Amino acid sequence: MTTYLNKLWGGARLAALEQLTYRFNLFSDVAIQPLIVAAVELTLWLAFFQSTGRSELAGFSQDHYLAYAIWAAFVARISANWMYEWNMIDSVETGAVNAVLVRPISFYSFWLGQFLGYKLLTSSFSLAVPLLVCWAMKLPVQIERLPLALLLVVFYLIFVHTIAVIMASMAFFFNRVHHVTVAKNITLWMLGGEFFPLDILPENLREFMIALPFSSAVFRPVGYLTGRLTTEQLGEGFVSIAIGQVILGSLAFVLWRAGRRRYSGTGA
Amino acid sequence: MSNPATDTLTHRWSTRVVHEVRDLAKHFALVGAFARVSLMSELEYRFNFAVRIFTDVIWYMAQLSVFEVLFRHTDSLSGWTLETMRVFMGVLFLTDSIYMMLFSENLDRLSDRIRRGDLDLLLVKPVSSQWMLSFQKISVAYFGNFIISAVWLGWSLMQVPGFDWWRLLWLLICVPCGVIVVYAIRFSTASTALYFTKADAINYIWYQLYRLGTRPDTVYPKFLRYAVLSVLPIAFLASVPAQVILNRTGSEMVLWGIALAAMMLAVSSFIWKTGLKRYASASS
């Protein structure tokens, strides 16, 4: 176990060093981009409350929605996986995966270590921004709930990584899986609840969307942090991800093995 | 009696005009050739056609879902009703599909090509390098998105009571202006790779700024509204064209759009030409 964790830690350090090479890019990634997203979403919610003259929506005030918009922009960036999924697919397509296959670590763990390391680095910087903004704007955030909310995000990252392995395994069988990955990520983006809290959806759709593990990308952790959800509802997120992980983990395992059998070692 | 000096000037001027027209025709013929090659190349991967359209349909649904959900809780948002907001989204999808078809792939790769020093072959060709780089790959697959967007726009306009269909003609001016404005901003940001070693961050910021154009300008506070209508005229992507066809703004906004498109194009050309002087071939 310790050896395995050391390997993961090695991957995490590698990712952190890579990211720190271009610090302005890192700064843009962790602060500037999510700030712009948050600003665009804030204006929409402000316009909504000003136009309607309402003081609340679905039982929550304007400030609750502003806090949600700010946190959602940052948490959504943490819980998304674009770069490493593309790298994984590329490695299968080009044959660069050979370098991983000969190492004493699985493909899954090699990339998981890097992915988590990258997310650890970016989130440790970027989470300071919504904290400061919410503090300055006096928005309702239950800060004591942050550790549990972040734990759910970490749990979700492992789940998202499993999906990325499925996509990379598909590269053994199909050309240009990148386009499918874009479609998949936009779908997850929509299901995650970055645009709006999922509990303002029509009732039948709301229950279905929240029950999916993808709601743990944004809605569950941010909803919990901003007081929309109870600890029990957050716990349901862990269960939902665990079920998803078992199903998709099995699929990833089968696809990877089948892909390896087809693979000639010179790129897919 | 004719004046020899005037005759020479007229001759020179007419020769110059003929030359410019031929040059322009050559450039447009080049776009046609690029489109044919791109079509052949894309037909090799037909699955991509379907996937790209599918991807964008999901993106459209994501954008629509925001307003469809909000309008379940209100009848009006900064002066827009659900029906007019659907028109706005239709114009957004239409303009976006044209931009994606013509420029997206070319400009997304531009920074990398500059950094890798891939421009050499292009710079020695007897055509504008900006033109070549901008049109080299026409993403024919997005024509499917154009059709879907046009159908959505038509349907949403049918929901607007008393809509004057003749006003659709304004789109013939407004949409090209919007595409040019977006193109010019994107080209300028991508060209910063000529000045900086790694311009990825600026490129990513562009994607976020683009989001400003995916909402009507009336939802923004005053200062931001001025910005998206002037300094960073991303409102011309969809907000202004939609307001023009819905008769919510005057023709002066159309004129402003034309002037802005011309200015932005000139600025992008200036940034490119100035940056090229720094281009060191091996990598910038």
Side-chain angles (χ1 to χ4, degrees), chain B residues 254-266:
Chain B
V254 180
L255 291 175
W256 176 230
I258 296 169
L260 265 176
M263 277 192 287
M264 298 297 293
L265 211 52

Side-chain angles (χ1 to χ4, degrees), chain B residues 102-177:
Chain B
L102 294 177
F103 304 117
S104 169
E105 206 165 322
N106 299 306
L107 302 189
D108 286 350
R109 291 185 307 160
L110 182 56
S111 294
D112 271 346
R113 295 182 70 178
I114 294 170
R115 197 169 59 236
R116 288 199 307 257
D118 286 355
L119 302 185
D120 303 17
L121 205 62
L122 253 149
L123 294 175
V124 293
K125 293 195 176 179
V127 283
S128 153
S129 53
Q130 180 172 352
W131 186 278
M132 280 282 281
L133 281 165
S134 304
F135 288 104
Q136 211 163 23
K137 179 83 168 61
I138 310 279
S139 304
V140 192
Y142 286 107
F143 188 70
N145 298 50
F146 178 80
I147 301 288
I148 293 171
S149 312
V151 170
W152 172 269
L153 179 62
W155 175 81
S156 58
L157 284 169
M158 280 161 60
Q159 316 299 313
V160 178
F163 176 71
D164 176 7
W165 289 89
W166 286 106
R167 294 198 70 82
L168 265 184
L169 290 175
W170 281 111
L171 287 185
L172 295 176
I173 302 171
C174 294
V175 169
C177 284

Side-chain angles (χ1 to χ4, degrees), chain A residues 25 37 41 51-52 54 57 176, chain B residues 45 48 73-74 78 201 208:
Chain A
N25 278 344
V37 175
E41 297 305 316
S51 298
T52 57
R54 302 170 71 135
L57 172 63
R176 304 198 177 191
Chain B
Y45 299 99
N48 277 357
H73 303 276
T74 182
S78 296
Q208 308 308 330

Side-chain angles (χ1 to χ4, degrees), chain A residues 22 24-25 28 32-33 36-37 40-41 43-45 47-48 51-52 54 57 77 175-176 179-180 182-183 186-187 189-190 194-196 200-202, chain B residues 45 47-48 51-52 54-55 58-59 61-62 65-67 69-70 72-74 76-78 198 200-201 204-205 208-209 211-212 215 219-221 224:
Chain A
Y22 297 103
F24 180 69
N25 278 344
S28 153
I32 302 177
Q33 294 176 53
I36 297 172
V37 175
V40 174
E41 297 305 316
T43 54
L44 186 68
W45 284 110
F48 174 83
S51 298
T52 57
R54 302 170 71 135
L57 172 63
R77 284 197 75 75
N175 284 320
R176 304 198 177 191
H179 293 301
V180 184
V182 176
I186 296 176
T187 310
W189 188 32
M190 198 163 60
E194 183 188 348
F195 298 131
F196 46 80
I200 63 168
L201 281 166
Chain B
Y45 299 99
F47 179 62
N48 277 357
V51 173
R52 279 198 194 177
F54 176 66
T55 305
I58 295 174
W59 186 77
M61 282 167 61
S65 69
V66 177
F67 294 109
V69 168
L70 284 183
R72 292 183 65 84
H73 303 276
T74 182
S76 167
L77 185 63
S78 296
K198 198 165 157 75
D200 291 15
Y204 288 131
I205 290 171
Q208 308 308 330
L209 290 177
R211 284 179 77 145
L212 285 170
R215 303 280 157 81
V219 306
Y220 297 130
L224 196 54

Side-chain angles (χ1 to χ4, degrees), chain A residues 118-196:
Chain A
Y118 166 65
K119 291 299 177 183
L120 182 72
L121 178 77
T122 51
S123 52
S124 55
F125 285 109
S126 74
L127 287 179
V129 183
L131 274 173
L132 282 173
V133 174
C134 286
W135 173 75
M137 292 175 71
K138 296 187 174 57
L139 297 176
V141 178
Q142 299 185 20
I143 210 71
E144 69 283 0
R145 290 182 162 195
L146 188 60
L148 209 48
L150 288 181
L151 188 65
L152 182 65
V153 175
V154 174
F155 207 46
Y156 181 78
L157 286 179
I158 298 170
F159 175 65
V160 158
H161 177 68
T162 306
I163 300 176
V165 173
I166 292 176
M167 302 305 293
S169 304
M170 281 169 64
F172 285 121
F173 305 95
F174 304 106
N175 284 320
R176 304 198 177 191
V177 179
H178 294 96
H179 293 301
V180 184
T181 225
V182 176
K184 184 265 296 174
N185 277 353
I186 296 176
T187 310
L188 295 195
W189 188 32
M190 198 163 60
L191 297 174
E194 183 188 348
F195 298 131
F196 46 80

Side-chain angles (χ1 to χ4, degrees), chain A residues 5 17 23 55 57 64 71 103 114 116 123-124 135 142 156 161 174 177 204-205 229 242 260-261:
Chain A
L5 288 177
L17 285 172
R23 287 170 206 177
S55 58
L57 172 63
H64 279 96
W71 277 97
R103 290 183 194 198
Q114 291 196 51
L116 290 180
S123 52
S124 55
W135 173 75
Q142 299 185 20
Y156 181 78
H161 177 68
F174 304 106
V177 179
N204 46 355
L205 198 58
L229 298 180
R260 280 286 308 276
R261 275 199 292 274

